[in-house]
Each structure stands twice: as C-alpha cells, then as structure tokens.
Amino acid sequence: MILSTLLIGDIVTQGGVELVCRLLPGIRQKFKLNFIVANGENMHEGKGFNEPQVKLLLNAGVDVVTGGDHSFDKHLIFPFMAKEPRLLRPYNYPPGVPGRGYGIYPIENSSYSAAVINMRGQAFFTSPIQCPFRTIDQLLPEIVPKTPIIIIDFHAEATAEKYAFAWHLHDRVSVIVGTHTHVPTADAQIFPGGMGYITDLGFTGPHHSAIGMDIETSINRNLLQIPQKYKPAEEGLRLNACLFKIQAQTGKCVYVEQISFPEYERNKT
C-alpha cells in the first residue's frame, strides 16, 4: 500500500492558518492524502502558537502540528501542549520542558500508523540543546518495533547540518523535511536508503514580505542596525509544502513532489 503524506512548511500568522484551513479540503482530494503534518511555530503574530490556532488546524484535517525554536514563546500554550498529543515541540530540548517531541499516530484509511518526530538543530542557535544526532540514535530503537513509517521535521538553520542529519538517517527513516529558514529549496529527492528529503519546505503565509516579516521593518533592521519592533506581514498568502508517497510495509519513500500554491511568478510577458 502506498500512503500519501503532506508536509506543510512553517505556518506564519493567522492568515497562514486560515489559508491552510481553506485549501486543505481540495488538496486532500487532489492528492488523495492519508496523513498531514504542518509546522506551526510562527502562527501567533509570527512567533509561537496558541490553542485556538492549533485546534483550527486539527479540525481542518491536519494530523500533527510540529514546532521549533519558537515553540515556547507564548507561555499560555504550555498547558495545552502538555495534554494534546498531536502538538509537538522539538524532542531534544532538556527534560522537564512542556509537551512531547514525538508521537505515533493512526493513518487515515489504512491499518498503519506513522511516527512523527520533531527535532531542532544546533548550528547558529543561541539557546543550548541536546545533540540531535545522538538523541535520534537513542530514540529510534524505541520507535522502529512499532512502525516502519518514521517522519522527521528537522527544524534547523544550517543546510550543512540538515544534510549531515539526512545522511546519518537515510536508510533508517521514511522522510526528513527541513523547516525554519522559510525559503523553499529545490532539492526534493529520495536518498539511496529510500528516505524522502527536502532541505526546507519554505513557509506558508504572507509572501509579500521578508520571510513573513513586514518589508519596511525588515529593511530598517538592516539599514539602521538597531532593533525593530517585530511586525508580521499580511499580504500575498501562499502555501508551501511537499508531498511524499511512502510504501507502507517498508516505510520507504517512493515519490516526492514540491507544492506551492499559488505558484511563484516567473514571467511578466
């Protein structure tokens, strides 16, 4: 059995949330989706998420919402994060932080389940975190006996770290997607070990912006070299995602397709 899984790039602002909720029924039907994961760490005013937003995505058909370095920016989410198994934060934070870093979830219209793991990179982040390489090596023996379908959202800054992480796991997991940098990369592929991969999904939200941020504010931050009040953008909503088809019995990826809606404009003639 081939399972169609959609991974949606970092959702930015309430506008991004509403776009996903509006487009998802049509996308689900078009691609005959079995499973959907969305990164939501930038939903609330561009940093963090809140309970109503997460519930909107889950009610719209998203199976799992993942996070990243902004998972803990809004403290009011902590009680909900602790009790909702479909909301993840990076697994490799120190013990004792709210929430969970992975889960195993039933896949729609099948007898299979998928493990989803949220991890965070180390390079160029100021806050310390446990090594994602060693942490995943310790975690996988717990997951592999339960399901061959393993999906990882690797929330990281450095492309070199993402590729090293991918090669480290290319014959042990089904899919690794990079999130965090908000710019979709052109390297969607299947690794030799049968793992689907993309360095970054890009972001879902207002693209008339500087990676989701108000353009004037972003320019002034660079021109003046002084702090600027963070101001999310609003215009040019776009969804960036990637479709992975996975052989259910083996957990191997057999097909990858990038999805951007609406498409980026490339020709004015």
Side-chain angles (χ1 to χ4, degrees), residues 124-147:
F124 303 121
F125 286 105
T126 56
S127 58
I129 201 166
Q130 296 171 355
C131 173
F133 293 80
R134 291 187 172 90
T135 303
I136 197 68
D137 286 345
Q138 294 165 2
L139 176 61
L140 282 182
E142 178 181 333
I143 293 176
V144 169
K146 300 174 183 178
T147 176

Side-chain angles (χ1 to χ4, degrees), residues 48-214:
F49 32 48
N50 61 40
E51 182 176 339
Q53 291 175 323
V54 175
K55 287 182 174 178
L56 277 174
L57 291 178
L58 296 177
N59 290 337
V62 173
D63 293 285
V64 183
V65 178
T66 55
D69 57 305
H70 293 303
S71 287
F72 306 104
D73 283 11
K74 303 294 192 294
H75 71 277
L76 293 178
I77 194 67
F78 290 1
F80 184 68
M81 187 184 290
K83 68 181 182 181
E84 175 52 74
R86 295 172 293 175
L87 175 60
L88 300 180
R89 47 77 175 165
Y91 179 79
N92 52 330
Y93 271 92
V97 301
R100 68 207 77 209
Y102 84 95
I104 298 177
Y105 309 93
I107 297 176
E108 185 178 344
N109 299 323
S110 81
S111 60
Y112 296 93
S113 59
V116 180
I117 307 169
N118 195 183
M119 299 289 284
R120 206 205 81 184
Q122 290 180 304
F124 303 121
F125 286 105
T126 56
S127 58
I129 201 166
Q130 296 171 355
C131 173
F133 293 80
R134 291 187 172 90
T135 303
I136 197 68
D137 286 345
Q138 294 165 2
L139 176 61
L140 282 182
E142 178 181 333
I143 293 176
V144 169
K146 300 174 183 178
T147 176
I149 304 166
I150 302 172
I151 298 165
I152 300 177
D153 174 353
F154 189 41
H155 198 79
E157 179 79 28
T159 55
E161 185 181 23
K162 291 179 180 180
Y163 261 98
F165 191 71
W167 279 111
H168 186 61
L169 295 170
H170 79 102
D171 57 356
R172 293 190 282 164
V173 303
S174 306
V175 169
I176 294 178
V177 297
T179 56
H180 178 66
T181 62
H182 288 206
V183 179
T185 53
D187 61 339
Q189 61 186 287
I190 299 174
F191 270 58
M195 179 197 75
Y197 174 80
I198 185 169
T199 298
D200 204 283
L201 292 168
F203 82 95
T204 294
H207 277 69
H208 189 72
S209 67
I211 62 170
M213 187 178 179
D214 175 74

Side-chain angles (χ1 to χ4, degrees), residues 221-240:
R221 176 180 287 177
N222 288 275
L223 278 176
L224 305 177
Q225 291 299 306
I226 59 175
Q228 302 288 315
K229 179 177 174 58
Y230 188 85
K231 182 181 178 182
E234 298 179 358
E235 303 296 326
L237 294 175
R238 175 180 286 111
L239 179 141
N240 277 318

